Structure formats: structure tokens, C-alpha cells
Amino acid sequence: MQILDGKIVSQAVKNDLTEKIAQLLRENKRPPHLTAILVGTNGASETYIASKIKNCEETGFKSSLHRFEENVTEELLMTTIKKINEDDEIDGILVQLPLPKHIDEQKIINLINPAKDVDGFHPVNAGKMVLGIPTYIPATPYGIMLMLAHYKLETSGKHAVVIGRSNIVGRPMSILLSQDTAYGNCTVTVCHSRTKNLKEICLQADIIVAALGKPCFLTADMVKENAVVIDVGITRVPDASKKSGFAIKGDVDFENVAPKTSYITPVPGGVGLMTIAALLKNTYQAYLQHSNNH
Ligand code: NAD
């Protein structure tokens, strides 16, 4: 069993970007600028945003944050996004999801300029991704593809089972793995909450991507020998032994599943770190595209 180490791979991605940005500064150019919109005080969202900002700063990106109260109006969010769309000094926008119930998430995403949509959630970018046209790929699936590429894992002809069909993880992941690309060409089965015989399906998988948000859901009896297991899940579970009062758990029962696998991602230290690295790569791409247009 080998660990697919998100620390090593994300650091390699960030080192490459750090060097590229240092070069921009040597040429007296401005660094790429990512701006984030955060609504409310959801603990997990706060943590994700803090981590994204920290990684931006470490790599030399400029970052900024627009914070709003939980009861912010849709109009105010829309006005803010319109302003950011028009700001030539900003290359990438990310709206931290989920938004409060009274806000129509899709309406907000639709308003983001697709050229600045570094999360790849805008319908234009989602459509391009499906068609295999170069675009911003949602950061988590993109990060996983970077991980597969770093370890040169053979995917062609393999049976990949993706558990979860969300627009931000499961669905794009299933599309990327099925595409005719270097780390695609899998035969993909997408499973979800209505899937029957999930265990039997998983037992046929060469590659399993678990993205459902249920801690320790994928158990050893669901995994065949030498499978590759990618754990996307991040759930906070109460843990009195931790200073924070909670521990982060993946969707995989790591302790018992890992010995059966050929490769596996840990949580933490796996896909989460790759997600941020992929977001930075998308932002750098947005900067290049933006600079070419101005
Ligand atoms: P989601 O709630 O939008 O989707 C969950 C999916 O799992 C749904 O499609 C649902 O049909 C499926 N599902 C639920 N119960 C199931 C069951 N019993 N059997 C089979 N399928 C089932 O979640 P999401 O946004 O896709 O996130 C999934 C998990 O990944 C969460 O834990 C989230 O925190 C985590 N996540 C991690 C990262 C990262 O960077 N590592 C990024 C995004 C999300």
C-alpha cells in the first residue's frame, strides 16, 4: 500500500506557482489576485477560506475577502459580484458554498464572469468541461486528477466507481475519469443515495472515489484487493481529545481499508490539500488569460 500524499503533491504544485509569480514580480508585473466571498460564520467555511487565503499568501498571490452577515440580501451579493467582475485587478472569484437558504446559489454562480470563475461552477465552464474544451475544472476533481498524474497511476480501461453525484465533486469527477485523456479512459460507474447493491458495485472497482460526506462509510468488505481509493470526505466529528473539540474524518474507514489497497489518500493530508493547489492553478490560469486580454 502506498499513500497518495497530498502534502508532497500540493507542495510541488505550489512551488511551481511560487516560482512563476516571483518571475512576474521580477518583470514588474502584478501578482494574480483571488477574491473570496464568505457569508455567515459557518465553522467549516471559515476554515476553508482561512486556508485558501494562507495558501495564496504563501505562494505570492494577492487575496482579498468580502465578508457578509448571514442575513445578507441576494441583491447585495449580486452587486458585489458585478463590481468584482468589472475590476481589472481581480483575476479569480470564489463564492464559498453553501450559501444561506434564502440565497439562490445558482443565481449567484450564474452572475460570476466565466473568465473569473476559478471554481469552475458557472454553467459555461461546466459545459466546456463536459465537452473537453480547456476551462476551469472544479478544484476538487482537478486536484484529484493532478494527484493521479503525479503518481502516474494507470487509469486507462480501469473500472472507476465514484460515490456521490454532486456538481462540485462526484459528477465532474466521473466525467473527467471517463474522458479520453492521459488520466481518464476509465469505465465509470456513478453511485448515489438511490444506488442499490453499492457494496457489490464497489467490489468490482479498480478505483473508488468516495465523495458522499459520511464518515468511515467505505469499509474494507466493500473494497477489492489492490484497488486505488481516493477519499474526498471531510466531516467534523466530536472528539474531546482535540483542542478544537472535533476531528476531521474522511468517507473511508482508513485503518481497515488501507491495507487492502495499492494506493490510498489519507484524510487529512490528501484531497483537501490538492483542492487548494488546484484552485491556485486555476487562478494563475485566469491571470494569464486576463493579462492576454488587456
Ligand atoms: P453533497 O452532499 O452535495 O453530495 C453527496 C452525494 O453523496 C450525493 O450525490 C448523494 O447522492 C451521495 N450519497 C449520500 N448518501 C449516500 C449513500 N448512502 N450511498 C451512496 N451515495 C450517497 O456533498 P459534496 O459537496 O459532493 O461533498 C461530499 C464530501 O466531500 C463532503 O464530506 C464534503 O465535505 C467533502 N468535500 C471535500 C472537499 C475536499 O477538498 N477534500 C471538497 C468538497 C467537498
Side-chain angles (χ1 to χ4, degrees):
M1 180 271 292
Q2 191 184 337
I3 295 283
L4 297 171
D5 192 330
K7 275 190 212 137
I8 292 174
V9 189
S10 66
Q11 197 55 55
V13 171
K14 287 194 289 178
N15 289 347
D16 177 51
L17 290 170
T18 304
E19 183 41 48
K20 287 190 162 95
I21 293 173
Q23 180 58 31
L24 291 175
L25 297 180
R26 283 193 288 272
E27 293 167 12
N28 289 323
K29 294 182 177 153
R30 69 167 178 86
H33 182 177
L34 173 68
T35 199
I37 293 182
L38 176 63
V39 179
T41 51
N42 174 294
S45 292
E46 293 266 1
T47 310
Y48 295 145
I49 286 288
S51 174
K52 286 167 187 173
I53 289 175
K54 179 169 163 270
N55 277 274
C56 272
E57 283 167 5
E58 282 170 2
T59 319
F61 286 72
K62 183 174 174 192
S63 68
S64 51
L65 176 61
H66 297 258
R67 258 179 190 281
F68 295 96
E69 302 280 334
E70 184 80 20
N71 61 0
V72 65
T73 61
E74 214 167 69
E75 286 70 31
L76 182 54
L77 282 184
M78 291 171 77
T79 313
T80 306
I81 289 178
K82 281 182 196 154
K83 271 194 202 141
I84 299 172
N85 280 344
E86 284 160 17
D87 187 336
D88 271 348
E89 301 281 299
I90 297 178
D91 307 290
I93 309 175
L94 86 86
V95 178
Q96 186 64 42
L97 303 179
L99 293 173
K101 293 271 179 292
H102 67 282
I103 308 278
D104 181 344
E105 256 177 30
Q106 195 60 53
K107 195 166 158 189
I108 295 296
I109 290 169
N110 290 354
L111 205 65
I112 298 174
N113 175 354
K116 297 189 179 190
D117 168 42
V118 288
D119 262 336
F121 296 160
H122 190 283
V124 166
N125 291 323
K128 284 185 176 175
M129 189 266 300
V130 170
L131 297 174
I133 299 170
T135 188
Y136 308 117
I137 295 168
T140 302
Y142 184 22
I144 293 170
M145 296 308 281
L146 293 172
M147 179 90 106
L148 297 178
H150 181 95
Y151 286 94
K152 298 189 170 56
L153 295 192
E154 181 64 53
T155 55
S156 182
K158 304 283 183 189
H159 181 201
V161 170
V162 178
I163 313 176
R165 59 179 164 188
S166 72
N167 288 341
I168 65 169
V169 190
R171 193 178 309 282
M173 191 71 240
S174 67
I175 291 164
L176 294 171
L177 285 172
S178 73
Q179 279 173 337
D180 184 2
T181 55
Y183 294 92
N185 283 312
C186 290
T187 303
V188 179
T189 305
V190 184
C191 297
H192 45 77
S193 51
R194 304 290 179 96
T195 297
K196 294 198 168 78
N197 306 325
L198 184 65
K199 178 177 169 184
E200 284 68 29
I201 296 168
C202 287
L203 279 169
Q204 293 168 27
D206 303 305
I207 300 167
I208 301 179
V209 179
L212 68 160
K214 300 216 153 86
C216 297
F217 179 89
L218 191 80
T219 47
D221 60 331
M222 298 168 80
V223 179
K224 81 172 179 188
E225 289 289 339
N226 292 321
V228 174
V229 172
I230 310 286
D231 190 352
V232 182
I234 296 183
T235 307
R236 291 177 166 199
V237 295
D239 184 339
S241 72
K242 304 267 180 208
K243 215 169 91 186
S244 59
F246 62 83
I248 300 292
K249 290 279 173 211
D251 287 342
V252 177
D253 174 12
F254 185 87
E255 201 185 328
N256 296 305
V257 169
K260 286 184 89 171
T261 62
S262 53
Y263 295 89
I264 186 164
T265 63
V267 175
V271 173
L273 297 174
M274 291 310 301
T275 296
I276 294 182
L279 173 71
L280 295 180
K281 258 178 103 70
N282 276 345
T283 305
Y284 181 70
Q285 202 51 46
Y287 170 87
L288 292 183
Q289 197 175 318
H290 195 168
S291 316
N292 286 339
N293 292 339
H294 288 89

